[in-house]
Amino acid sequence: GGAEVYLCGSNPLSTQDDVAAALVAHYGVATYAIKGEDHKTYYSHIVSCIDARPHLTMDDGCDLVTVLHTKKRNFLRDVFAGTEETSTGVTRLRAMAAGKVLRYPVMAINDADTKHLFDNRYGTGQSTMDGILRCTNMLVAGSTVVIAGYGWCGRGLATRAKGMGATVLVTEIDPLRALEAAMDGNQVVSMAEAVPRGDLFITVTGNKSVIRREHFLAMKDGAIIANSGHFNVEIDIPALDRLAGGRRREVRPFVEEFRLPGGKRLHLLAEGRLINLAAAEGHPAMVMDMSFANQALSVEYLRKKAKTLKKDVYIVPRDIDAEVARLKLRSMNVDIDTLTTEQERYLRTWSEGT
Ligand code: NAI
């Protein structure tokens, strides 16, 4: 699109160093990101991007926007609009808009149908299992998998785990989502009920301390705990560390064993960070293409319309969403039917019954 681009990580463990290096060497994109960077470096890289005085932000989780609105407020006046990729970022942005602190319009890419129905469901479903299998080599068939959160990611994960032969338990706090999980054929239980039964726990809630002290205490020896939600707060890792009294060691790459009093061992994957990005390669390009098409077309829209928009969170226009679906179908060589004139007329009338 003709922009000058500056890039940083949106999660300390999610960068692929070879990709970051190639972006610098072959594409001249200023890239501030290292896999496994510490907290301080992660935030200093965000600041380095902001120091380039951006006119537009494309965020994933809302850390960049938050730093801009707190520590770098004098750069806000240059920004005309932004986009946000993920559920957690959209939740934070809506909180900012409700609190009247958001200083420019942001498009919630996550909420486009061609994003969350596919990327979150099929992308997270597949790549989360991929990350867990690559680092543990566990046998899913016959195991009990506990999934916390039956949102778009949780639905995808439950389907994949079931397809691989697991018994799936789902925990939820939303009655509608819980009902859907039950009718999709999962066992819906409280986390307290799930902990003594689970072999593998996966959190995808976007919330914090979903698995905590009382849950660790009731887990089976050898239980595996992973997170695929955006931030590393879904599992209360400090509480796990305190329980183990610091008795923790890496037993395989991305697998850390915590030894609890009495000898019970619990295995935490990828420091509780997005397991699909830390231990595998994230979503396949075949699903990210739709998310990034939404990003690109939304940026074009914002460039043209930002002046007419309020400092609020916006939904991707329906025609962009439909265009992305059309393009994706075409790339898959899938033809669909079109309405006949008679059908179009029938759908517009109210007087014609049986
Ligand atoms: P969503 O909002 O559709 O679903 C989250 C679900 O978790 C909701 O149904 C909610 O009721 C439930 N929940 C909240 N607190 C809970 C608790 N204490 N116990 C049980 N359930 C609880 O969100 P979505 O799209 O499924 O995303 C979930 C998380 O995954 C977000 O943090 C999102 O940013 C992240 N994400 C990660 C990806 C990855 O590559 N690993 C890709 C896309 C999203």
Side-chain angles (χ1 to χ4, degrees), residues 60-61 85-89 91 110 115-116 119-121 123-124 127-128 147-155 171-174 177 191 203-210 212 227-231 234 274-277 282-283:
D60 185 356
E85 172 78 3
T86 199
S87 316
T88 283
T91 305
N110 183 75
K115 199 281 184 181
H116 64 261
D119 165 331
N120 300 31
R121 184 162 42 171
T124 312
S127 63
T128 298
I147 297 169
Y150 203 69
W152 296 106
C153 296
R155 288 168 169 117
T171 73
E172 252 298 344
I173 47 110
D174 180 320
R177 292 266 169 101
M191 188 56 85
T203 51
V204 268
T205 68
N207 207 342
K208 69 184 295 192
S209 299
V210 177
R212 47 186 184 268
N227 169 53
S228 210
H230 193 80
F231 289 120
E234 304 212 12
L274 296 157
I275 184 65
N276 60 332
L277 292 164
H283 300 9

Side-chain angles (χ1 to χ4, degrees), residues 198-242:
D199 299 301
L200 167 66
F201 295 81
I202 312 166
T203 51
V204 268
T205 68
N207 207 342
K208 69 184 295 192
S209 299
V210 177
I211 301 184
R212 47 186 184 268
R213 188 176 189 278
E214 69 256 36
H215 301 135
F216 301 130
L217 286 170
M219 280 180 187
K220 289 197 277 200
D221 178 35
I224 297 168
I225 314 160
N227 169 53
S228 210
H230 193 80
F231 289 120
N232 64 336
V233 294
E234 304 212 12
I235 302 161
D236 187 351
I237 301 167
L240 180 57
D241 186 52
R242 280 195 298 276

